Amino acid sequence: MLSGKHILLIISGGIAAYKSLDLIRRLRERGCRVTPVLTKGGAAFVTPLSVSALAGAKVHEHLLDLTAEAEMGHIELSRAADLIVVAPATADLMAKMAGGQADDLASTLLLATDKRVLIAPAMNVRMWTHTATQRNIARLKDDGILFVGPNEGDMACGEYGPGRMAEPLEIVAAIEKVLADGPLKGRHVLVTSGPTHEPIDPVRYIANRSSGAQGAAIAAALVQLGADVTFVTGPATVAAPAGVRAVRVETAQEMHDAVMAALPAEAAVMAAAVADWRVASRSDQKIKKDGKGLPNLSFAENPDILAEVSKLKTGRPALVVGFAAETENVAANAAAKRKRKGCDWIVANDVSPETGIMGGAENAVTLISEGGAEDWPRMGKGDVARKLAARIAETLLKG
Ligand code: CTP
């Protein structure tokens, strides 16, 4: 499965670098070509000679190396491989990545690449749990960086906790998963998810009960099929899945702008529970109880993102999927909504409180298309997502 694949392996400085020698061996056993890059810190733990001997290739170490640049420039190097793997990834290198710094060869390659990046962090438990590192991790995940590990266990420094680099075979398995050629490989799919928040004043807002679970599961299922996913999410309680390009928004207007900026896409799945109205009388200052009675809120209609994308004259995604959250006459209301909004499919669900669907783990949907309505049995949101993603792949590949 990995035979013929080309990995650019960046080894940064940490005691776990010794495991990367084994990783090189495991990758080569599987027919992988490995181009190693050693940071200054990495070279303090493993020697260029051992890395090069195991990889059967030259080790790249310096950014401004005239001979290396003449053979293969760093920009070319950053794009030649199928995947960039950073193992171990130190807290420092992750901070550089999160900040977009490029002050040595490894960080420059990571900034210049157009390939996916999988990192295997390794560091002391305190460094891993530090707010700064956690902030960088969230940033990197938003940027679509893939993670394997770290694992929890005894550390070389004598402490215990998360921070141990994943084992070489776990890293190999993660690489196999990333490089698996799914049917949607190279296809851009846009997913919206979560609620929107519509401010009343600087401290209050109108929201809804959407957790973002279904949208996140759909995005994850599309990533599994190899799609290049832009995930535009409101303030959801469920985290954005790994491997997507996450764009965080708050209001419906911001979601609209982010969706338009992310187009073109081959398919758009609008799973967000967008607020239909915003507060037109939004106050810049906190509304006070001033004894003059209750505040009067006036509303304005938000842009209907689904309808607008569905009705685009140029650049309309080949497949536009909307959701319908209904509390009565589910199939009939949803079929009318499909026509009104101009989308291809509507995934309709009953969000009456007694179903426990909104904010819950399961969903029972009806898929409405031009061909009619199809009831799916009640199942986990992950299963709904996988079934829908498979249907999307089938349709895009036919078209
Ligand atoms: N949607 C959207 N932009 C909006 C409102 C809704 O893109 N301003 C999308 C949602 O993401 C979902 C679909 O439209 O895919 C249906 O949303 P829903 O709230 O169920 O429908 P409404 O348009 O609000 O219709 P109704 O008020 O009749 O329920």
Side-chain angles (χ1 to χ4, degrees):
M1 181 183 189
L2 287 182
S3 178
K5 299 287 187 198
H6 180 189
I7 306 287
L8 184 82
L9 175 66
I10 296 175
I11 303 173
S12 65
I15 185 67
Y18 79 92
K19 290 195 208 169
S20 302
L21 298 178
D22 189 36
L23 174 63
I24 297 175
R25 207 169 58 84
R26 304 283 185 180
L27 288 170
R28 293 206 65 212
E29 269 169 15
R30 286 161 177 77
C32 248
R33 181 174 152 212
V34 179
T35 299
V37 174
L38 202 51
T39 67
K40 201 165 155 223
F45 288 91
V46 289
T47 70
L49 189 60
S50 45
V51 172
S52 152
L54 284 165
K58 174 185 155 65
V59 183
H60 298 262
E61 288 184 85
H62 308 291
L63 181 57
L64 303 171
D65 179 327
L66 276 183
T67 330
E69 280 296 305
E71 282 169 16
M72 185 190 253
H74 60 270
I75 301 292
E76 202 184 333
L77 184 61
S78 78
R79 301 187 185 166
D82 296 299
L83 177 72
I84 298 192
V85 176
V86 188
T90 58
D92 179 57
L93 184 52
M94 286 166 61
K96 279 187 188 165
M97 289 170 75
Q101 287 184 33
D103 63 355
D104 63 2
L105 181 62
S107 54
T108 304
L109 295 174
L110 288 160
L111 195 62
T113 190
D114 58 357
K115 295 298 182 318
R116 278 176 297 174
V117 176
L118 172 73
I119 70 173
M123 67 197 71
N124 167 273
V125 55
R126 287 291 168 99
M127 291 171 78
W128 174 256
T129 53
H130 195 285
T131 321
T133 305
Q134 290 299 317
R135 193 168 52 228
N136 291 334
I137 293 165
R139 178 82 254 182
L140 293 173
K141 286 188 173 169
D142 273 5
D143 291 346
I145 303 296
L146 303 162
F147 281 65
V148 50
N151 295 340
E152 193 170 311
D154 288 323
M155 319 207 80
C157 52
E159 291 184 52
Y160 181 93
R164 276 170 63 112
M165 186 171 90
E167 295 304 320
L169 284 179
E170 290 177 87
I171 300 175
V172 169
I175 294 172
E176 280 174 340
K177 213 165 145 191
V178 176
L179 290 181
D181 288 345
L184 290 178
K185 190 177 163 60
R187 293 177 182 250
H188 182 211
V189 181
L190 176 68
V191 177
T192 70
S193 183
T196 64
H197 285 181
E198 307 298 328
I200 297 171
D201 67 15
V203 298
R204 305 179 176 94
Y205 56 83
I206 294 177
N208 59 64
R209 293 187 196 280
S210 167
S211 62
Q214 188 63 83
I218 292 168
L222 288 163
V223 167
Q224 287 294 315
L225 297 185
D228 169 15
V229 176
T230 302
F231 185 67
V232 181
T233 177
T237 47
V238 170
V244 301
R245 196 177 312 101
V247 184
R248 295 179 191 288
V249 297
E250 195 179 337
T251 65
Q253 186 62 51
E254 287 169 7
M255 184 172 277
H256 167 272
D257 297 349
V259 164
M260 294 305 161
L263 290 175
E266 295 195 37
V269 183
M270 308 295 204
V274 187
D276 291 320
W277 315 284
R278 66 178 172 277
V279 180
S281 56
R282 165 186 178 173
S283 166
D284 289 339
Q285 303 300 329
K286 187 179 169 212
I287 302 171
K288 305 289 284 177
K289 298 185 288 294
D290 55 7
K292 291 189 203 133
L294 298 174
N296 263 323
L297 298 183
S298 63
F299 291 90
E301 202 165 329
N302 274 329
D304 190 322
I305 308 164
L306 175 62
E308 195 173 319
V309 169
S310 299
K311 290 172 188 169
L312 281 174
K313 291 274 181 292
T314 48
R316 181 192 191 276
L319 181 66
V320 182
V321 183
F323 274 68
E326 306 287 348
T327 53
E328 56 183 354
N329 304 327
V330 178
N333 281 346
K337 197 170 282 177
R338 189 185 83 86
K339 285 239 161 66
R340 196 167 65 242
K341 299 209 181 201
C343 56
D344 303 295
W345 300 349
I346 282 268
V347 180
N349 50 16
D350 186 345
V351 291
S352 313
E354 61 273 18
T355 63
I357 283 173
M358 206 142 186
E362 291 192 326
N363 208 349
V365 310
T366 305
L367 181 68
I368 292 163
S369 62
E370 180 135 48
E374 196 184 304
D375 286 326
W376 291 2
R378 190 171 172 127
M379 54 180 117
K381 287 186 176 172
D383 293 325
V384 170
R386 280 183 285 277
K387 199 167 152 117
L388 185 66
R391 215 35 107 69
I392 291 170
E394 193 189 318
T395 306
L396 287 184
L397 295 178
K398 255 195 279 173

